[in-house]
Structures are given as C-alpha cells and as structure tokens.
Amino acid sequence: MQTIYVLDAVNFLFRSYYAIGPMVSSAGQSTSALFGFIRSCMKLRKDFAPDHLVCVFDGPDNKKSRQKVYAEYKMHRKGAPEDLFPQFEWAAEYCELAGIPTLCLEGVEADDTMAAVAVWAKKKGAKAFLCTSDKDLMQLVDEDIKILQTHKDNLIIDAKKVEELFGVRPDQMLDLLAIMGDSSDNIPGLEGFGPKTASSLLQEFGTLDAILAHPEKVKGEKKQEILRTQKEVALMSRELATLDVNLEIPHEVKFYALREPKPELVDFFHRMQFSTFLRETHAPQKEKSEKRGAYQLVQEEEALKTLLNRLEKEKSIGIDTETTDVNPMRAELVGIGLGIPTGECWYVPTSEGMLGAFREFFKKKRCSFYGHNIKYDWHVLQNYGMEVAPIDFDTLLASYLLDPQNRRHNLDELTLEEFKKVKIPIESLIGKGKNEISMAD
C-alpha cells in the first residue's frame, strides 16, 4: 500500500444535501445527498485511481466521550433533516455494492476514526489523503498526511497551505482551535480571541502552554485577565479538539483495498433512478435468460419486398425513422427501422427503389403502428408520400402519462429505467461539435 484515501462520508453527504437542488424519486424519497455522495466517490476514483480507499461514518453515540469532558459539546446543533437520515444508510449500501470499504466505530466520531487510519497508514510507510472540509484534521498534516478537498477542484492542503490558510503550522492547529474555539462543534475557546488574535499569539509564543504560562506578556490588560481566568477553558477546549488516534481499527492492509463492484449495483442505481450512474457503471451484469433479438440489415429491394409481405400478417409493428434533422419538415429520410414483438428487427436504408416498396406496403397494410414520439416519424413519412395509420401506441406519450412530473421521457432514459439497458448514444455514431457528421454519412 503506497497511498490510501480516507473519505469523510457524513461531511460529503451534508455538503451534497445543501449544494444540490431537491431530487426526489418517483417513490417520493429525497436522494440529492446520496447522488452527490456517489458522484464524489466516482470522481475520486476517476481522478486518482486509488487502490486503497475507505469511507468513514460517525458511529452511534459518537459524542459521548467528549460530552463527558464538556456537556455542551455539539449540543447546539440541530438534528439532521428527516429526509437525510435514510440517505446515510443508502450511502453505506452503495459502498458495499461498489466495493468500497467502510468504517463506523461505536462511540467514535468520524474525524477520530479518519485520524487513526491516517496515522496507522503513515506507520506502514503509506501516504494518506483525508478527503474532508473539516479543519480539525489539519492538525495531522505533514509530509505523509494531506487534506484533499474534492469540492475545490481537488485542492491538496499540505503544511505550507495550512500556514497560508490559518497563519500557523499544522502542529500549532490544535492550539489554534483551543484558543479561538469552534462554533460548529460548540468548543468554547477563549472569549474574544478570534482567528487573527490566536494565530498572531502562536506566531509570537509558539504554543498555548507558553501563552498561558506568561499572560503578562500578552498585549492588553483585558486579554491578560481572560488568559488568567479562563486557563481551564482553554485547556478543556484543546482536549475537545484533540483527535483520538489510538482506536481499534483494522490493521490489515487488505481491509482497505478496493474491490470489484457487485452486479447488484446496477439494481441499486435502478432503484434510486440514477440513470447517469447506470450509464457509467462497470459492474458485471447478472446472468439473464432473456433471448436476444435478431437484428437484420435489408439492402436489396427483393429482400425488402419479401420482408414487407411477411409484415403484412402482423397485427402491430414498431417503426422508427433515421433522418438528417430533428425538425420533421426539414428532415431527409435516411432509413427506416421496423420491429415486431418476437424481438426481430430490421433496418432499411432508403433508396428510391426502397421507398417505392414502402409506399405500396403502407397503401395495402392491415396492421397498426407504434413508436417513440411517433408523430415525428408520421410527419417525415408523409413528406415522402407514406401514410402511417392507424397508430396504436406511443411510448413517449405513455411515459408522460405515467410520470408527468418527470422532465425526461427520451428513449435513452426509458431504456435505462425500464430495462436497465444503455442505449447507444447518437454521438457515438455521428460525433458532435466540429467533428459531427450527418446521419446519412
């Protein structure tokens, strides 16, 4: 193990919950925090390709030990929003399915667990990257332990950056927190001593102990009096901010190794309606007994006539046109796709001879037709003298009627949502931007 990435799961979930607009599944469940968490995990793996990664969660009853020291520790915090709680469990479920190790120690806060893992990894000769925005963990930064802030374009905070941000060295961060306190954790600190005062005193005296030993050397009588009367408060604040690295964590390197995603990850994304991740996931697919369709290219006129004679006996045919434009009034017909319920499908490039055979077919047909946004195909084919009627079904309209609050009813989304299949994106066929070609080409 050369490097390990230690991710502050709850920190990521809270950040995503408030940073991403409301996301609600069709079951009415809030999923924005989970979506952001997964996206961050995927980005981390893509950007850094780690071999060892662990997501750390707060353990149950995690404030207990510090509240023995100071009863008001974190007592001012409001509870997490009700719709966020289930997303903690889903995040842990995602990690299990994605092959990401997790740690959650009873009675222990996540930052203590993260610190313990980082110090253990350092002793093993590895570099540790703590993925968090929590400034408490800055006290650990050295040559082997860094802070990685993925939400700030993968900003890596080393010792120099700590000093630039806080005005003190990493080894002085604990004393800085003790002096100025931490409102987010309800650590009191010294009354009236803000970040600037705290950092300037540490630059001058070096340590909190040196400051408390010589309050008379500090400028300002009021500050001197506070240092004398609130000495115990400062020492208690330092104790509260001290990270516990002597925890019982797994000491086997293989525990922290990333594993292959499980096939059930696809089902998880499907259940959460995360189409974006369904497209990107590389989890192995479970064995399926379904029969694959038979797809054929029809390029000869005689072969087309034989096919159309057969299709006349069908009750309903799926139809789709390939064209050069999204506007049916400007579109040139490139080809016609046909399909029947048995899973057989055909694609016919449309030369003039092919079009003649299709016109004859549509004149004497006995079947009905269905498609996705079939009004478009209806317009295009009418422009070429073909009357597609009657129409018996449109999957786009059906999707809207079933789920009108959803803004995505395109075929790519529906194939993912209904069948867990990734449709070949149009860009892979014709490109995009300067390199885009027409469908005819």
Side-chain angles (χ1 to χ4, degrees):
M1 181 175 71
Q2 294 182 325
T3 59
I4 184 170
Y5 292 77
V6 188
L7 193 148
D8 189 344
V10 176
N11 182 279
F12 274 51
L13 285 159
F14 266 96
R15 179 176 293 280
S16 299
Y17 182 84
Y18 291 107
I20 299 174
M23 287 179 63
V24 181
S25 70
S26 58
Q29 298 166 317
S30 176
T31 57
S32 56
L34 177 66
F35 182 88
F37 172 79
I38 295 173
R39 185 170 61 184
S40 296
C41 289
M42 285 183 162
K43 186 176 186 301
L44 181 67
R45 296 179 75 165
K46 180 182 177 182
D47 292 349
F48 296 95
D51 292 319
H52 297 86
L53 168 67
V54 61
C55 280
V56 180
F57 293 81
D58 284 325
D61 206 13
N62 58 77
K63 298 186 285 289
K64 185 177 180 180
S65 61
R66 285 185 171 88
Q67 286 180 341
K68 287 181 180 178
V69 177
Y70 181 54
E72 296 301 310
Y73 177 74
K74 288 189 177 180
M75 287 298 289
H76 68 305
R77 284 191 179 183
K78 294 180 180 179
E82 189 174 337
D83 61 344
L84 180 55
F85 278 111
Q87 299 184 69
F88 294 150
E89 294 182 14
W90 295 334
E93 182 182 355
Y94 162 74
C95 289
E96 169 64 23
L97 296 174
I100 300 173
T102 60
L103 270 178
C104 179
L105 304 182
E106 186 172 355
V108 179
E109 295 184 68
D111 50 3
D112 291 310
T113 305
M114 293 176 70
V117 172
V119 170
W120 166 79
K122 178 181 175 180
K123 290 177 181 176
K124 299 287 289 185
K127 305 285 185 183
F129 292 90
L130 304 176
C131 307
T132 184
S133 60
D134 192 338
K135 61 180 178 292
D136 293 1
L137 288 154
M138 301 286 177
Q139 61 188 273
L140 296 175
V141 171
D142 58 18
E143 284 298 311
D144 300 304
I145 301 174
K146 308 279 192 303
I147 304 295
L148 171 60
Q149 295 189 338
T150 57
H151 64 287
K152 292 186 176 179
D153 295 326
N154 291 334
L155 173 66
I156 294 177
I157 299 178
D158 56 11
K160 184 178 179 182
K161 191 66 177 179
V162 170
E163 198 161 356
E164 179 186 320
L165 292 171
F166 298 97
V168 297
R169 303 184 308 271
D171 62 285
Q172 296 174 305
M173 276 298 298
L174 182 57
D175 286 349
L176 181 80
L177 292 169
I179 295 169
M180 70 179 194
D182 187 346
S183 58
S184 65
D185 290 343
N186 209 27
I187 296 176
L190 292 170
E191 187 180 340
F193 284 64
K196 289 185 178 179
T197 301
S199 61
S200 63
L201 286 173
L202 288 170
Q203 288 167 15
E204 181 181 353
F205 290 88
T207 66
L208 172 62
D209 293 326
I211 297 168
L212 294 175
H214 300 285
E216 73 282 356
K217 294 183 180 181
V218 175
K219 294 177 182 177
E221 290 184 10
K222 186 175 180 180
K223 285 187 174 62
Q224 291 175 12
E225 180 63 20
I226 289 171
L227 287 167
R228 292 190 188 95
T229 59
Q230 295 187 19
K231 176 180 178 179
E232 294 305 317
V233 174
L235 294 175
M236 178 192 70
S237 296
R238 183 165 67 181
E239 184 178 356
L240 292 172
T242 301
L243 295 170
D244 184 2
V245 299
N246 300 309
L247 299 172
E248 291 187 15
I249 59 168
H251 286 176
E252 299 80 26
V253 171
K254 66 179 181 180
F255 173 86
Y256 302 94
L258 283 167
R259 301 178 296 275
E260 285 296 314
K262 295 182 179 180
E264 292 81 6
L265 181 60
V266 173
D267 297 323
F268 177 80
F269 287 151
H270 184 72
R271 173 158 52 95
M272 294 299 165
Q273 297 177 297
F274 290 159
S275 298
T276 301
F277 301 141
L278 274 170
R279 289 192 196 90
E280 298 172 4
T281 188
H282 301 294
Q285 297 295 303
K286 288 186 285 188
E287 291 288 329
K288 292 183 179 179
S289 59
E290 67 183 42
K291 185 178 178 181
R292 183 174 175 81
Y295 309 115
Q296 299 176 50
L297 176 65
V298 180
Q299 293 180 288
E300 304 295 333
E301 288 184 36
E302 285 304 315
L304 176 59
K305 289 177 182 177
T306 301
L307 169 63
L308 295 178
N309 285 335
R310 176 188 168 185
L311 292 180
E312 283 182 15
K313 301 170 186 175
E314 294 292 328
K315 291 183 178 179
S316 186
I317 298 173
I319 191 165
D320 179 50
T321 58
E322 296 301 339
T323 68
T324 58
D325 202 293
V326 294
N327 186 322
M329 296 303 138
R330 294 196 300 260
E332 295 177 18
L333 185 60
V334 176
I336 298 175
L338 302 160
I340 56 176
T342 57
E344 292 180 272
C345 301
W346 299 266
Y347 178 70
V348 186
T350 48
S351 64
E352 188 54 43
M354 298 293 205
L355 288 175
F358 271 115
R359 289 189 185 101
E360 286 299 315
F361 170 72
F362 286 117
K363 279 181 183 177
K364 62 180 181 179
K365 49 81 178 74
R366 299 181 185 138
C367 58
S368 58
F369 299 90
Y370 60 91
H372 188 81
N373 190 21
I374 199 169
K375 182 171 73 172
Y376 174 89
D377 307 286
W378 182 82
H379 276 304
V380 170
L381 292 172
Q382 276 218 329
N383 290 342
Y384 283 80
M386 291 176 257
E387 181 72 37
V388 182
I391 292 169
D392 63 22
F393 203 77
D394 187 328
T395 49
L396 184 142
L397 293 178
S399 174
Y400 177 77
L401 289 169
L402 288 167
D403 192 8
Q405 72 272 16
N406 190 352
R407 290 176 292 177
R408 298 177 296 185
H409 301 282
N410 62 70
L411 202 55
D412 298 60
E413 297 294 334
L414 290 177
T415 52
L416 273 172
E417 205 170 293
E418 301 297 331
F419 304 109
K420 305 178 188 177
K421 293 185 182 297
V422 178
K423 179 175 162 289
I424 296 172
I426 193 71
E427 290 83 2
S428 70
L429 298 174
I430 64 174
K432 61 181 178 179
K434 292 180 180 179
N435 299 319
E436 183 174 333
I437 60 175
S438 74
M439 183 59 77
D441 294 329

